[in-house]
Amino acid sequence: MKNAPKIAFVTGFPIKQSKSPLIHGFWLDNLKIDGTYRAVELTEDGFSKFIAQLKSGDANFEGGNVTMPFKEAAFQLVDERDAIAEKIGAVNTIYRKEGKLCGTNTDAYGFAANLDDLVPQWRPKPEIFSKAVVFGAGGASRAILYALIEAGFSEIALYNRTLSRAEKLADEFGDTITAYKMDDVGEGLKEANLFVNTSSLGMHDTPVPDLNFASMADGAIATDIVYHPLKTKFLENAEKQGIAIADGFGMLLHQAVPGFEHWFGVRPEVTKTLRDTILNG
Ligand code: ATR
């Protein structure tokens, strides 16, 4: 008997802006997999009911993605969370394992895999001092801090408008991280190897602080998790000052890889054709 097609979801509120159906649809088509990936728009209340249906088997999904504003609720509601989800405090990917509903977070993986693609030299060399500057200490910053610690940065300077939020993350993530107030970021860039914007500044071309990227170390890199526009003002300024840049769009593509593999059993690839298709989609 033919197996029933596998189905995965993405849920959030709103959800119609999500690129995930395009990404997973591209892979399903290209890999000729008999499966479906569909957007499910839910309210807060609807979300917990949906998770209960997944647990009871009433909703026939292999699993799916969770986006704003349900990532923290998903963290609370799944049966099991892996170590990454625990540290990041949010779940963006749900899958089934041995009858349980498991939650993970693939944002740190997506961030690192995007840089591996675009600027592979971003990874620090063991034994050589390396410094990363992270701008923004909101929800999105947690996955980035996780990835930078995993990559082995010697020092991570975390800058935020609200200092207490940066201090809280520094306490939680350990000694590698030091918290500073936003106005001191210029000082922090001196001799740094990597700059990451995790704040919402620069989104839709909003103004950003004018930073002296030229004071960064030789071979330094700047990246931004904002990808509207693709080349944000942070990246534009950094590039003008001779710094290598990596846009954040690939993070969105790469973070989708582990989920697809969980649900459909094949590890898909992030290719230039995928990137061009989703950018134009
Ligand atoms: P996300 O989950 O996307 O990170 P968030 O938790 O609201 O969203 O965090 C947004 C980040 O952008 C925070 O670091 C925020 O700084 P505060 O913690 O001080 O709010 C930062 N941010 C947003 N608007 C800003 C602005 N106008 N100037 C400086 N930082 C800003």
Side-chain angles (χ1 to χ4, degrees):
M1 204 178 77
K2 201 168 171 274
N3 286 334
K6 294 180 169 169
I7 314 172
F9 63 82
V10 59
T11 185
F13 188 85
I15 198 61
K16 67 174 190 305
Q17 81 299 340
S18 171
K19 300 270 189 206
S20 293
L22 280 178
I23 299 170
H24 291 279
F26 176 94
W27 284 329
L28 287 168
D29 281 351
N30 274 264
L31 294 164
K32 301 193 169 38
I33 292 174
D34 186 15
T36 312
Y37 182 95
R38 78 169 65 121
V40 179
E41 190 161 86
L42 295 168
T43 59
E44 197 94 13
D45 201 30
F47 182 70
S48 43
K49 284 193 189 130
F50 180 64
I51 295 288
Q53 286 170 344
L54 287 174
K55 284 185 182 175
S56 68
D58 286 349
N60 201 15
F61 289 100
E62 298 300 318
N65 287 124
V66 178
T67 184
M68 298 257 285
F70 300 139
K71 290 185 184 191
E72 285 77 22
F75 177 87
Q76 297 297 337
L77 294 170
V78 290
D79 294 318
E80 267 178 19
R81 304 179 282 253
D82 69 3
I84 299 181
E86 287 291 350
K87 194 75 202 176
I88 297 177
V91 158
N92 74 342
T93 303
I94 292 179
Y95 59 98
R96 296 183 187 279
K97 195 178 85 188
E98 293 157 9
K100 294 208 162 117
L101 210 57
C102 303
T104 186
N105 191 305
T106 64
D107 286 338
Y109 166 80
F111 172 76
N114 181 43
L115 294 187
D116 285 342
D117 241 13
L118 300 180
V119 282
Q121 72 280 18
W122 79 280
R123 287 191 180 269
K125 294 192 179 55
E127 317 299 333
I128 299 178
F129 177 83
S130 54
K131 177 179 180 184
V133 168
V134 176
F135 189 85
S141 173
R142 302 178 70 90
I144 308 310
L145 296 177
Y146 183 94
L148 296 177
I149 291 170
E150 280 286 297
F153 276 90
S154 329
E155 186 183 323
I156 301 169
L158 176 61
Y159 292 84
N160 202 46
R161 177 178 60 183
T162 314
L163 178 61
S164 59
R165 269 186 114 181
E167 285 171 338
K168 189 163 171 288
L169 285 187
D171 275 354
E172 232 180 282
F173 280 80
D175 288 349
T176 319
I177 301 175
T178 311
Y180 301 94
K181 59 183 192 309
M182 179 177 132
D183 303 343
D184 297 338
V185 64
E187 189 61 29
L189 279 177
K190 283 181 191 156
E191 292 305 314
N193 306 90
L194 178 69
F195 169 85
V196 189
N197 176 43
T198 75
S199 79
S200 47
L201 287 190
M203 206 177 272
H204 307 298
D205 264 338
T206 50
V208 304
D210 198 7
L211 301 177
N212 182 12
F213 289 101
S215 69
M216 292 178 78
D218 283 350
I221 294 164
T223 188
D224 199 324
I225 70 165
V226 171
Y227 55 82
H228 278 298
L230 216 45
K231 197 184 280 182
T232 62
K233 290 218 174 75
F234 277 123
L235 296 184
E236 205 177 283
N237 292 343
E239 191 175 45
K240 274 191 203 140
Q241 295 176 50
I243 302 296
I245 60 167
D247 71 66
F249 193 70
M251 179 177 165
L252 172 73
L253 305 175
H254 282 281
Q255 64 75 32
V257 168
F260 189 93
E261 188 178 17
H262 277 299
W263 315 314
F264 301 113
V266 181
R267 193 165 183 88
E269 274 180 39
V270 173
T271 58
K272 182 160 184 329
T273 318
L274 172 71
R275 182 180 159 101
D276 292 345
T277 306
I278 308 306
L279 271 173
N280 298 321

